[in-house]
Amino acid sequence: MRIDSIEKLEKWRKECRRTFEARKRKVIVCLGEGCLANGSEEVFNEFKKQVAEKKIADVTVESVAKTGCHGFCALGPLVIIEPDGTFYTKVGKSDVAKIVDKTLVGHELIDKLLYTDAKTGEKVADYAKIPFYARQQRISLRHCGTIDPHKITDYIAMGGYAALGKALTAMTPQQVIDEVTKSGLRGRGGAGFATGKKWATCAKVQSDIRYVICNGDEGDPGAFSDRTTMGSDPHSVLEGMIICAYAVGSHQGYIYVREEYPLAVVTLQKAIDAAREHGLLGEKILGTDLSFDIKISRGGGAFVCGESSALMRSVAGAVGEPRAKYIRSVIKGLHDRPTVLNNVETYATVPAIIERGADWFAGIGTKKSTGTKVFSLAGKIKNTGLVEVPMGITLREIIFDIGGGVPDGRKFKAVQTGGPSGGCLPESKIDLPVDFDTLTEAGSMMGSGGMVIMDDRTCMVEVARYFLSFLVSESCGKCVPCREGLYQLRELCAKVCDGEATEDDLALMERLAKTIQVGSLCGLGQSGPNPFLSTLLYFRDEYLAHIRDKKCPGGVCRKLITYSITDACTGCMACISVCPVHAITGEKKKRHVLDTNLCDRCGSCYAVCKFEAIEIS
Amino acid sequence: MVQMTINGKVVKATEGEMLLAVIRRQGIDVPALCDHAAVEPCGSCRMCLVEITREDWNGWKKYVTSCLYPSEDGLIVTTHTPELQEIRRNILDLYMARCPGSELIQKMGEEYGLTRTSFKTIPEGDNCIMCYACTRICEVLGRSAISAVRRGHAKVISGPFGDPPPDCIGCLSCAHICPTDVIEWHDQDGVRGIWGRTFDLIACQQCGKTIITRDFAEYLKEKRQIPADYFDICDDCKRVELARKMGGLVDQAKEVAS
Amino acid sequence: MMFRYTVNPALCTGCRTCELACAFTHTQEQKPGRSRIYPIAYGPDRFVPVTCLQCDDAACVKSCLFDALKRNETTGAIELDKDRCVNCRACVAACPFGCALIDDVHDEVVKCDLCGGSPACARFCPTKALVYKRIA
Amino acid sequence: MACDMAKIQEIIDRSPQTPGSLIAVLQDIQREFHYLPCEALQATAASLHVPLSKVFSVSTFYNAFSLNPRGERIIRICQGTACHIKGADLIQQQLTSGLGIKPGETSPDMKYTLEVVNCLGVCAMAPVVVVNDKIHGGVRCDKAFKLVTKD
């Protein structure tokens, strides 16, 4: 069915809403990657089977719905029973029968599956009351976890494409640009460039062809919000892109999705096909003069392709090497045409701004960083997952109030933000309000919103070495400071980890880091030394401990630690079976012995010991 | 025409002309390793970084590779600040670790006071500075026989599959353009060897002197419509032949006149 | 403006002044490179000063894949842009008259450029066998 | 190695025969064969009018491509930051010693290929191991070998 006018769109919406709301009681199973990894597909199928068999009055097979990622990945697979908002966590296939019998038929709660508030120890039934959700304000993620990403009707029912209709019929392209400018929206991809300004520049360049590209190459390790948005609410990305195309006068768009996200590609393709079928993409969108289509361009597994000029070369089928950006891509981008490149979260936010107005959006967040930002919480934190919060919220609120703090009773040490281009912030910076500018001032950056939390068992020098290794393997190799410089910096960092470095080496590292920052061709190289520089800034004592005392305070660096087995050993044999170099010997129920000469200090025994009988010194 | 300031001196340049060319025209020596007039600039060696600013930038300045930055009105360019010299020195330091055997790099390093690298010499390093001059010239030539393979620190220049490149015609452009002379080749007994391949050299039908390979001649014939027989004789013999022909005409004219 | 460079072998005595003048003009170094002009004997005491004819449809220009050879519209000479030349020698092989040359001393391609409009060979030729003059 | 040339050509013909299709074509071939056979690169170069050297360059630049045949079971260990912090190295060590192959290698019996990837975006479930596109979260190092070898 082609929707060729606003009237038809609204009529269709009524139908969609009726179907969407028809099922009074619903069982929603999260099928985001996190829950999928824990077996949520089996749970979903089991629900369908059980519900069909048991014939419950107000719950039909159609009432069992799947959604994209709900954000609270730590507790997946997640199941929500609407309209009560009953929130079941870690649901296994074997739990399904009980849920059907007790909750769906008997309207009872199953305590075991409910969320336990970490502070009070109480069970919380309604997910809206869980701190993880209660503190969030979802704009970009507004539909994630509530709609089936494969159903355009779900999106329409939730008010989808209304913003596009509004833009196309009630606004001129200039008014759209003005609205986005007024909202203060800044690019969510990392650098935080003003989106409205970018669109305005592109629209002004004389050209018959302009391109709109969505950067879905979320390469920062530790960030996964774009994957979620593309996979759980693809239409809001499309809608944002179409609005942008209207504003700047483009007929062709591309979504560049990284190779590592196969599910997102499938979901996006389905969404594009559905939008095309309904006249929301292609010729004469919604019966207006706007013609615009979107193609998916799959990445090839190269972090550097997140850099705009490399990305555009990759879209054109070439090696993703960046070029010096003295002519900005917004003027001369893909195929040398003016090109608007924004990231997934930015586009997904646009429809909300058009619909609810720039003032509403600008009223959220801080003055210079308006709106909300999605953060991916991972690492040593209880509530791993995705959260969307207003800009200006402190790191403490995100990590401790929403994220639940560090697990296993360990101490918070640092939070890494912004991926390999960002930095590590220590506890002294934890009350920093999070926005584009404060993070940069503190020596880190927003990046794509990844936050990896580290506890006191982390060695910051080793973390720097890890990031440098990442960058060495991801550098395109075009320019010397990045190709040779990061390699040498990594080697020097490894030398520190091995306890073989001197203070002169540290000075050399600082000198080299500066040259890499200033001398590199693209952003990857220029920001490459950040993880090293920020750890040095806040954890210089750890570097010095490695150098002067030959000690690794985090107990990580292999050459500087030894493992031993204490009296707490119960003789469970777990460490013996896991030791790759067979350095541990012993019998069942007898204290095991570790041969330090054989031990290569990998830490496998420490990781598997349930009795804290492995000691690091 | 645009007007810029380079190291305090007002200079004129064509709009869009790359800064490096303008700077060099002033007799200022800015080092560059990957730059060559026959290929598009690529900005990989970073040696030609200069500092630019403008009156209206309020003291803000930035570093750009002059080989890639087009001239524009009002630009204020500085080529040799202590910071820039430090960057160049560190880059050469890195090169010295990678290319311990390169005379050029060694010599340039010495100019910046480096006798040996501060870094760990790379065991698998050769004298290739990965400037892409060879692959770029091969592309201009229309062959693209060689390319950069893999990425990052593991990047090397090679033929497809690491094999002798099938599209190579043995023209030596890559070997000649290479700033560190790392591409090995030899002409011996009428045969040229390069990139693991051998090519027949065309021997002059009169004296046997060789100039280019048969494959290169074929390519020129096809791409630029040069008649095949032009390549049969060497330049020396062609000149002698020309002298003989012209002389013959002169003699004929003389006979006619007398 | 148009110029023409003419060679009249009948007047050439084979004195080789042109060769010296050429080599000196183009290389001020200690070891002079090869000249771009050669008086070649085609019989006893008979010489032709062979040099580039600056052909209209020149094979050297056509053969250069890097646009290093371009005609100077003022002087009429086909000039070699040394910055662009990579020494592939396509022009040397292609010139039907053998007048794109290899300078053996410096191992590079050289070619007559009419000294930028005042060819030394013509200036120094004692017999006027070589003449460079304006024709229009 | 014998190659299904007809299949390769069919895959190439699905995309527009322009240089811009290069990456897409290589991805389609890789998906079909799990690696890029040498003949496929040659056919791609010829059909899309791209020099073979460039096809090779692209296929070695991107991590997604493999030029060697890969095993029946492709095991990918995520080495993203979160996975690293949560002990991905230990998993890697268990799998390399267990399978007897290093990352990037395939076992001689063509059963397993071990690869390391820089973040799969499932950081919340760290550490993550992917076996033939099935994501496994919260992998424990002592269970890793069993996980990837079980049927």
Side-chain angles (χ1 to χ4, degrees), chain A residues 34 254 269 431 437 499 554 604:
Chain A
Y254 293 89
Q269 191 57 55
D431 288 309
D437 311 304
S604 298

PDB file of all heavy atoms in Angstrom, chain A residues 34 254 269 431 437 499 554 604:
ATOM      1  N   GLY A  34      22.053  -8.673  23.138  1.00  0.00           N
ATOM      2  CA  GLY A  34      22.433  -9.094  24.472  1.00  0.00           C
ATOM      3  C   GLY A  34      21.565 -10.241  24.941  1.00  0.00           C
ATOM      4  O   GLY A  34      22.055 -11.292  25.368  1.00  0.00           O
ATOM      5  N   TYR A 254      22.956   6.851   2.046  1.00  0.00           N
ATOM      6  CA  TYR A 254      23.618   5.581   2.340  1.00  0.00           C
ATOM      7  C   TYR A 254      23.687   5.398   3.843  1.00  0.00           C
ATOM      8  O   TYR A 254      23.864   6.359   4.582  1.00  0.00           O
ATOM      9  CB  TYR A 254      25.057   5.572   1.807  1.00  0.00           C
ATOM     10  CG  TYR A 254      25.150   5.588   0.299  1.00  0.00           C
ATOM     11  CD1 TYR A 254      25.194   6.789  -0.404  1.00  0.00           C
ATOM     12  CD2 TYR A 254      25.177   4.397  -0.421  1.00  0.00           C
ATOM     13  CE1 TYR A 254      25.276   6.805  -1.787  1.00  0.00           C
ATOM     14  CE2 TYR A 254      25.261   4.403  -1.805  1.00  0.00           C
ATOM     15  CZ  TYR A 254      25.306   5.608  -2.488  1.00  0.00           C
ATOM     16  OH  TYR A 254      25.385   5.616  -3.847  1.00  0.00           O
ATOM     17  N   GLN A 269      17.521  -3.324   6.294  1.00  0.00           N
ATOM     18  CA  GLN A 269      17.088  -3.623   4.932  1.00  0.00           C
ATOM     19  C   GLN A 269      15.584  -3.860   4.900  1.00  0.00           C
ATOM     20  O   GLN A 269      14.881  -3.372   4.014  1.00  0.00           O
ATOM     21  CB  GLN A 269      17.855  -4.838   4.385  1.00  0.00           C
ATOM     22  CG  GLN A 269      17.660  -5.052   2.887  1.00  0.00           C
ATOM     23  CD  GLN A 269      18.065  -3.823   2.061  1.00  0.00           C
ATOM     24  OE1 GLN A 269      19.181  -3.343   2.165  1.00  0.00           O
ATOM     25  NE2 GLN A 269      17.141  -3.290   1.268  1.00  0.00           N
ATOM     26  N   ASP A 431      32.425  13.509  39.648  1.00  0.00           N
ATOM     27  CA  ASP A 431      31.294  14.427  39.773  1.00  0.00           C
ATOM     28  C   ASP A 431      31.212  15.417  38.625  1.00  0.00           C
ATOM     29  O   ASP A 431      30.463  16.397  38.668  1.00  0.00           O
ATOM     30  CB  ASP A 431      31.347  15.145  41.127  1.00  0.00           C
ATOM     31  CG  ASP A 431      31.004  14.185  42.254  1.00  0.00           C
ATOM     32  OD1 ASP A 431      29.958  13.510  42.133  1.00  0.00           O
ATOM     33  OD2 ASP A 431      31.788  14.062  43.210  1.00  0.00           O
ATOM     34  N   ASP A 437      31.905  19.258  26.040  1.00  0.00           N
ATOM     35  CA  ASP A 437      33.045  20.112  26.347  1.00  0.00           C
ATOM     36  C   ASP A 437      33.772  19.731  27.630  1.00  0.00           C
ATOM     37  O   ASP A 437      34.999  19.739  27.667  1.00  0.00           O
ATOM     38  CB  ASP A 437      32.590  21.563  26.388  1.00  0.00           C
ATOM     39  CG  ASP A 437      31.776  21.898  25.138  1.00  0.00           C
ATOM     40  OD1 ASP A 437      32.308  21.694  24.034  1.00  0.00           O
ATOM     41  OD2 ASP A 437      30.613  22.316  25.264  1.00  0.00           O
ATOM     42  N   GLY A 499      58.056  -3.866  33.171  1.00  0.00           N
ATOM     43  CA  GLY A 499      58.968  -3.389  34.211  1.00  0.00           C
ATOM     44  C   GLY A 499      60.368  -3.116  33.701  1.00  0.00           C
ATOM     45  O   GLY A 499      61.315  -3.101  34.460  1.00  0.00           O
ATOM     46  N   GLY A 554      47.830  -2.818  39.968  1.00  0.00           N
ATOM     47  CA  GLY A 554      46.567  -3.468  39.623  1.00  0.00           C
ATOM     48  C   GLY A 554      46.669  -4.985  39.668  1.00  0.00           C
ATOM     49  O   GLY A 554      45.673  -5.687  39.551  1.00  0.00           O
ATOM     50  N   SER A 604      44.291 -17.355  34.804  1.00  0.00           N
ATOM     51  CA  SER A 604      43.126 -18.223  34.608  1.00  0.00           C
ATOM     52  C   SER A 604      42.665 -18.819  35.925  1.00  0.00           C
ATOM     53  O   SER A 604      41.469 -18.879  36.220  1.00  0.00           O
ATOM     54  CB  SER A 604      43.468 -19.356  33.629  1.00  0.00           C
ATOM     55  OG  SER A 604      43.797 -18.826  32.378  1.00  0.00           O
TER      56      SER A 604
END
